Amino acid sequence: MRKKWCYFLLLLIFTGQILSCSRNVVADETIVVNAVEKLIAPADNSTLDLQENMPSTEFQWQKAEASKGISLKYEIIFFKENETPSEPLFKTGLKINSAIITESKLNEIAEKAGIEVGSSGVIKWTVRTYYESSSAFSKEINRIIIKRYHATEPITNLFLTGRGSEFGENIPDAMEFTKVSDNEFMIFSKLTAGQPFRLISNINGQNIRSFSVKNNKLVEDGADIQIQKTGVYRIRINLASEIVEMNEIKDVSLFYSIRSRSMKLEYAGRGKWKSICLISFSKQTWGDEKRYKFKMTEGNVDKFLEKMDDGTSSMKDTVISNLSGQLWSGVWSYSTELKDKWVEVLVDMSNYSHSFKVVPENLSGVTTSWETLA
C-alpha cells in the first residue's frame, strides 16, 4: 500500500510539471511582425537626376509595429525592375523608418542594375521589417528612375583667367593653381571687383573645361565669377567636397621676433610679395639677434608664416592665438652676410617659399627701413 501511495505522489508531481509547462507555452505568445503599409518618399515613378549634384536622397516609409510593444528594425532593399527583393542590388539595416542614400551609392546601385553612364533606367525599392527570426515584406514596391551623369575626366590642373584676374583674357597667360593634394588646389592672386574671371582645366587644346563658383561650391557651367572688392585673394578649392574658399590677403610682412614688429611687403603679382629693406641686427648680450619669420593677415585672421621642419626655406601658416607664446616658434636666422645690407625680400606664396637677395645701395623708391625696426 505504501509503495502504491508513493507512485501516486510521483504521478501527481509529474502531471503538475507538465501542466505548468503547458501554461508557460500558452502564455508565451508568438511575436507578430507587421509589414510596412506605405512607402512615402521618393514617390512611385520619381526621377532622381544624379547630374544635378544632389549629395543624397532621403527614403521614407510609414512606421510599422509589432505585438507586445516590440520595436521593429527595418531593411531597405533595392533591386532590378524585372527581379524580386530576394535578388537585391543593395540593402542596409536601420532602426528608424528612413534612410539617407548618398549620390555615390545611388550611382553604384544604378551601375549594378546595368544603367549606362549618361543614360536613365528603373530600379525598385521596398522595405522589410524584422525582429529576430520573424520578418515581413511591404506589399508596396516603388519604382525610381535614375539618370546617371556623364563620366568626366578627373581634374588634374586648374588655372585662373579672365578680365577680372591679373592675367587678362589671354588663356596662355593664365596662372596655374598650386596642387596641394589630389583633391586640393590653391592660388594667391589679385582680383578686380566687378570684372569677370573663371577657372579652367587647361590652357592648351580644344577641350577646356570651365568652372564658376555658386554658393561657395565649384560648378562646371562655363559661367563667369565676380567679386565685390578689389584685392589679393587666396582661393582654395576642395574637389572632394566641391567647396571653394575665397579670402582677401590684406597684408604680408617680414616679422622681427625680438621686437614684435613687421615690415610690410608689396604685392608684385602672380602670388609674390617683395620689398627692399636694410637688414640690421639687434645687439643683445649674447650677440646679434638674427631670428625672423613672416606675418600674414587673411580676412580678419592674423597668421605667422613659419619654418617647416624640413630645414628648407619653405613655409607653413599658423593662426596667431598667443603672440608672446608664438614669437620664437618656426623662426629662421638671417645669414651673417646680410648684416647691414640692402636686401630684396621675396615671399612666393605659389610654392610657400621666401628668399633674400642683396641689392645695390639705391635708396630711391624705398619707403621703409628695417634699420628703424631693429
Side-chain angles (χ1 to χ4, degrees):
M1 177 65 73
R2 181 176 297 174
K3 185 178 290 188
K4 289 182 178 180
W5 179 247
C6 289
Y7 285 135
F8 180 70
L9 287 175
L10 289 173
L11 183 60
L12 285 175
I13 292 171
F14 183 69
T15 303
Q17 288 177 338
I18 292 175
L19 291 173
S20 175
C21 291
S22 298
R23 283 194 296 269
N24 289 336
V25 170
V26 172
D28 186 17
E29 297 176 356
T30 302
I31 301 298
V32 177
V33 173
N34 294 312
V36 169
E37 293 185 2
K38 179 69 176 175
L39 302 181
I40 300 173
D44 194 26
N45 292 314
S46 293
T47 297
L48 302 182
D49 190 346
L50 304 187
Q51 300 183 75
E52 294 181 346
N53 295 320
M54 43 185 287
S56 60
T57 299
E58 184 175 14
F59 288 74
Q60 296 177 298
W61 52 90
Q62 192 176 62
K63 188 175 181 180
E65 296 181 353
S67 60
K68 301 184 70 175
I70 297 296
S71 295
L72 293 176
K73 294 181 180 179
Y74 304 93
E75 184 178 60
I76 184 170
I77 304 170
F78 296 88
F79 54 100
K80 290 183 180 180
E81 184 179 21
N82 56 351
E83 294 183 355
T84 66
S86 62
E87 301 170 289
L89 298 166
F90 172 74
K91 60 182 180 179
T92 185
L94 302 136
K95 293 182 179 180
I96 58 175
N97 58 315
S98 66
I100 302 296
I101 307 298
T102 64
E103 174 269 339
S104 61
K105 178 57 69 176
L106 287 171
N107 190 60
E108 178 185 316
I109 293 169
E111 183 179 9
K112 289 181 178 180
I115 302 172
E116 297 290 337
V117 170
S119 301
S120 300
V122 174
I123 62 172
K124 293 181 176 181
W125 70 280
T126 192
V127 174
R128 179 178 74 93
T129 50
Y130 64 95
Y131 176 76
E132 294 183 349
S133 60
S134 300
S135 66
F137 284 88
S138 174
K139 292 182 179 180
E140 283 209 345
I141 294 176
N142 278 5
R143 300 169 77 252
I144 51 175
I145 301 164
I146 290 186
K147 291 184 177 180
R148 291 189 67 193
Y149 49 78
H150 287 277
T152 56
E153 291 295 323
I155 301 171
T156 56
N157 303 92
L158 276 175
F159 297 82
L160 178 63
T161 188
R163 196 162 66 251
S165 73
E166 62 183 76
F167 322 109
E169 296 180 293
N170 188 22
I171 289 180
D173 295 333
M175 181 177 174
E176 186 172 5
F177 278 70
T178 300
K179 192 172 185 178
V180 180
S181 69
D182 287 342
N183 288 316
E184 296 177 278
F185 292 82
M186 178 173 63
I187 196 171
F188 289 79
S189 186
K190 184 177 180 180
L191 301 172
T192 302
Q195 297 295 320
F197 63 93
R198 64 187 188 280
L199 314 176
I200 57 176
S201 61
N202 62 75
I203 57 176
N204 299 306
Q206 301 298 317
N207 187 26
I208 297 178
R209 299 165 64 186
S210 183
F211 305 86
S212 68
V213 179
K214 294 181 180 178
N215 299 319
N216 300 320
K217 300 281 281 187
L218 187 69
V219 180
E220 187 172 358
D221 61 359
D224 289 325
I225 315 168
Q226 292 188 16
I227 47 104
Q228 295 181 339
K229 180 184 177 184
T230 298
V232 180
Y233 288 81
R234 169 161 39 184
I235 305 175
R236 286 190 277 199
I237 298 174
N238 187 313
L239 295 180
S241 63
E242 298 180 339
I243 291 177
V244 180
E245 297 179 18
M246 298 178 63
N247 295 317
E248 184 183 6
I249 304 300
K250 297 179 179 179
D251 176 75
V252 173
S253 301
L254 178 60
F255 186 84
Y256 199 38
S257 297
I258 198 167
R259 300 298 186 196
S260 296
R261 292 178 179 173
S262 304
M263 191 201 79
K264 183 179 177 64
L265 306 182
E266 300 299 325
Y267 184 67
R270 289 192 172 269
K272 298 180 177 66
W273 282 258
K274 65 181 180 180
S275 287
I276 295 174
C277 67
L278 178 63
I279 301 296
S280 297
F281 302 154
S282 176
K283 302 293 185 181
Q284 301 296 320
T285 55
W286 62 83
D288 291 339
E289 175 52 57
K290 304 177 183 179
R291 289 172 289 182
Y292 72 94
K293 52 185 169 180
F294 296 90
K295 184 173 172 287
M296 178 175 73
T297 301
E298 182 176 4
N300 296 319
V301 179
D302 289 328
K303 300 181 177 182
F304 277 135
L305 298 174
E306 300 180 326
K307 185 178 182 180
M308 299 280 282
D309 297 329
D310 57 7
T312 69
S313 61
S314 297
M315 304 180 292
K316 61 180 179 180
D317 57 83
T318 306
V319 174
I320 301 175
S321 57
N322 179 2
L323 180 62
S324 60
Q326 295 175 253
L327 284 177
W328 305 107
S329 61
V331 293
W332 292 272
S333 289
Y334 289 118
S335 168
T336 302
E337 288 73 20
L338 297 179
K339 183 177 181 179
D340 298 327
K341 295 291 196 306
W342 286 95
V343 172
E344 180 186 84
V345 184
L346 174 66
V347 171
D348 187 350
M349 295 304 291
S350 68
N351 59 14
Y352 264 61
S353 68
H354 75 278
S355 62
F356 297 99
K357 183 175 72 174
V358 176
V359 297
E361 295 181 15
N362 182 357
L363 304 186
S364 62
V366 177
T367 58
T368 305
S369 172
W370 190 242
E371 185 177 22
T372 62
L373 304 177

